[in-house]
Amino acid sequence: MSQTSFLKTLGPATLRRRASGAPFVLPLVAAAVALVVCCPLVFVVMQAGQSGWDSVRRLLGRPLVTTLLWHTLELTVTVTAATLVLGFCAAFLTQRTDIPCRRVFTVLLAMPLAVPEFVHGYCWVSLFPAVQGFWGAVLVMTTSLYPLVFLPVAATLRRSDAATEEVARSLGHGRCRVLCRVTLPQTRPALAGGALLVSLYLLGEYGAFAMVRYTTFATAIYTQFETSFDTVSASVLALVLIVLAVLVIGAEAGAGRRRGRVVREGAAARPADPIRLGAGRIPAVVGLAAVVGTTLGVPVYALGYWLAKGNSSTLPSASIWTATATTAGYALVTAAVATAAAVPVALLAWRHPGHVSFGIVRLAYLTRALPGIAVALAVVFFAIRYAQPWYQQPPMLVAGYVVLFFPLALTAVRASLAHVPHGVEDVARSLGQRRLVVLGRITLPLIAPGLAASFAMVALTASTELTATLLLHPTGTETLATRFWSYTTGLAYGAAAPYAAMMTVLSVPAVVLLTRRTLGPARPSKEEA
């Protein structure tokens, strides 16, 4: 008997009874994980109110806060808008036109993700010292973050149905009107998701802004803590930053409720024929080549230039291989812990959808609103107050990494579970198998690709983390990011280049894998078919 037939014999009432009879262990474990992950948020609120809300109001009333707020909002709006325009145009040209070398351009346009944001800043500043201030920050962050918009929009355009556009053209609409009235609305969810990621990156970024000497909340928080160890003032500024991030997430969620349906149901999507550019092919190729040259060519050239020029540092030399091994060790342990912690939360949302599981998942995702500096402050406070022997020890750095990157792991595991039929576990349970046996022999093997993706994403993201690492790394222990930062703060660009290059090399396989998983295999057009 097939699985489908067997499930029909059980009936929906039986399946509901099995689901409702779930033990309390899974919800408790999932809730515990979400609460632990969200502890930094609680810490920030408690620290901000420690000196009294009158003091908080006085701190927030300083002219510096107004300046930081304006800098942060101005930069976030400008860079987000620039990445939306650049990401959409690049995705449309590579996925919907007959521009030559589309696959090559697609990979190259996604590759800037392999270069961390602070390395982007180092590359631009080391070659062009005039890249400073607001417009320097806009240039560095736009060239670094636009792939976060390009990839989801390209995936949407590749998989969208051509029928809606054909209907619009049959009604006499021109290509520009179809682009604005049909194609662009189809990509609104991808554009909104990309804008959310870009905005959250901007709110929490420190290294790139320090490179171009542009002050935001994140840089001010780090300076406040590093120079005077003033956790109260730093927490007040972090609370403002978290409020901004929560507002951004809320705006994206509100936009999601207004998007409406953008795909047809009950019909297989047909690929669209590529738009013939004609005489516009040359300008299109030149434009994409300019984007690739600016966003990828400058970092590659800068790293090659400084690697060839050699060491110019007065600091003690350090082994790049030792730093690489240390970085890999922390990243691998973090990936294992974060992936394991994400499994019960994802399982709860998959097995028992409802208000409880929805709340737990949203609580866990709140950590996306926390910048690295806020997480590091919370971990430092906990270690000093409750775990003094672990202060500046490896477990604290791993804990900070897990909190920062837990949403990445949860996203990957949930996406993998979404492809597993709900009745699989019920079939195994009806045959007398225990829940843990079903989990180990049925569920986990089915979501193994998602677990592997979670492990890879967290490991490679943790290997390039800078802000929290600067505060939490054990004394005498250096990672690639901290060694790189030590040299760049002393303007030893040649000495910093090997560490930047190693971080980039370690990230390239992840970007290639992300591109393949996001876009999937190329879909032929009707003419090619």
Side-chain angles (χ1 to χ4, degrees), residues 34 253 257 345 348-350 352-365 410 414:
R257 287 192 293 268
V345 180
L348 179 67
W350 176 66
H352 316 293
H355 294 296
V356 174
S357 60
F358 179 82
I360 290 175
V361 169
R362 289 302 173 192
L363 188 64
Y365 272 123
L410 182 59
R414 289 187 68 194

Side-chain angles (χ1 to χ4, degrees), residues 290-326:
V291 172
V292 172
T294 303
T295 61
L296 186 60
V298 170
V300 170
Y301 175 79
L303 293 177
Y305 172 80
W306 289 112
L307 284 172
K309 189 169 183 177
N311 196 335
S312 59
S313 173
T314 59
L315 297 174
S317 60
S319 170
I320 188 172
W321 304 115
T322 301
T324 301
T326 302

Side-chain angles (χ1 to χ4, degrees), residues 327 330-331 334-335 401 405 457-466 469:
T327 302
Y330 280 116
T334 300
Y401 281 170
F405 307 124
M457 290 169 60
V458 174
L460 289 167
T461 307
S463 65
T464 60
E465 208 289 324
L466 174 65
T469 310

Side-chain angles (χ1 to χ4, degrees), residues 215-309:
T215 306
T216 64
F217 272 110
T219 60
I221 292 167
Y222 182 83
T223 302
Q224 195 75 241
F225 180 80
E226 186 72 6
T227 57
S228 59
F229 206 74
D230 187 356
T231 57
V232 174
S233 297
S235 295
V236 171
L237 296 179
L239 184 61
V240 177
L241 191 58
I242 291 170
V243 169
L244 290 177
V246 171
L247 291 176
V248 170
I249 294 175
E252 193 276 338
R257 287 192 293 268
R258 295 191 299 268
R259 286 172 205 151
R261 197 178 303 278
V262 297
V263 296
R264 291 192 308 156
E265 292 187 355
R270 294 186 292 105
D273 290 328
I275 298 174
R276 299 188 182 279
L277 296 176
R281 295 183 74 186
I282 294 179
V285 170
V286 171
L288 288 184
V291 172
V292 172
T294 303
T295 61
L296 186 60
V298 170
V300 170
Y301 175 79
L303 293 177
Y305 172 80
W306 289 112
L307 284 172
K309 189 169 183 177

